Amino acid sequence: MTPSPRETLVFIVSGPSGSGKSTLVEKLVELPEMLLSISCTTRPPRPSERPGEWYNFLSEAEFLRKIEAGEFLEHARVFGREYYGTPRSELDRARAAGKDLVLEIDVQGARQVKQKLPTAIGIFILPPSRAELERRLRARSQDSEDEIELRLERARQEMAAYGEYKYAVVNDDLAAATVRIQAIAVAERSRIGPSGARIEGILSSFKGAI
Ligand code: 5GP
């Protein structure tokens, strides 16, 4: 018997820059049947970034054309500057592959996704403290002093939205936080709703025997 296609779960991961969000997202997509959504952005690539790996880099004109064409599931101007967006095609890709999708997006984008897909599962990543966040931002030394101050202020604003998410993961210790974020996905996948099609299949295989 061919199993019914399963529902694609959408995991939204947000949190301030320096919370270790991207590392935890990488750990989440290490689970089988997980797909990382590749966002589009107008910000320039950092030296270590290759197009198509984490982002596709677009000009502002290209980005605006895609907004007009309705190609984004969500989009936002993050830090009031550059555009970031999740193409709808990422959701189609996950559905066609029968996989779950992980979106690493900001709070504004998360709100739009939850409006369109109310079953999307929000996970908020928190640093253990403001002092630790500041230490991590400085250790990265990728940003100027002004940029660090801006990121700390943004973090304060973003963290006020954590109550809109279903789960919170405090990234105090990477190994422990990895277990927590993976456990959330495993538990969500084990809920009766999303795994219903599979369970129906198992039950029907018993029909003749009962
Ligand atoms: P960065 O430029 O440091 O990679 O990301 C800056 C911020 O943009 C992060 O908070 C990240 O979560 C957010 N972001 C990345 N991709 C998207 C996206 O597709 N949509 C939205 N709304 N935010 C995004």
Side-chain angles (χ1 to χ4, degrees), residues 9 16 34 51 56 71 75 151 174 191:
L9 300 182
M34 280 290 192
N56 278 308
E71 289 182 28
H75 62 87
R151 284 182 190 269
L174 180 60
R191 286 177 56 243

Side-chain angles (χ1 to χ4, degrees), residues 4 7 16 57 59 61 80 100 105 132 155 165 174 179 192 196 201 210:
S4 327
E7 184 194 331
F57 299 94
S59 68
D100 295 333
I105 60 177
E132 176 58 18
Y165 290 71
L174 180 60
V179 170
I192 298 291
I210 297 169

Side-chain angles (χ1 to χ4, degrees), residues 3 6 9-12 104 118 120 135 155 162 187:
R6 66 182 192 85
L9 300 182
V10 174
F11 294 95
I12 304 171
E104 200 228 284
R135 195 195 62 75
Y162 85 93

Side-chain angles (χ1 to χ4, degrees), residues 21 39 43 46 55 74 76 78 84-86 104-106 109:
K21 184 179 41 170
S39 292
R43 83 148 164 76
R46 298 188 181 119
Y55 288 114
E74 63 74 33
V78 179
Y84 291 79
T86 305
E104 200 228 284
I105 60 177
D106 83 328

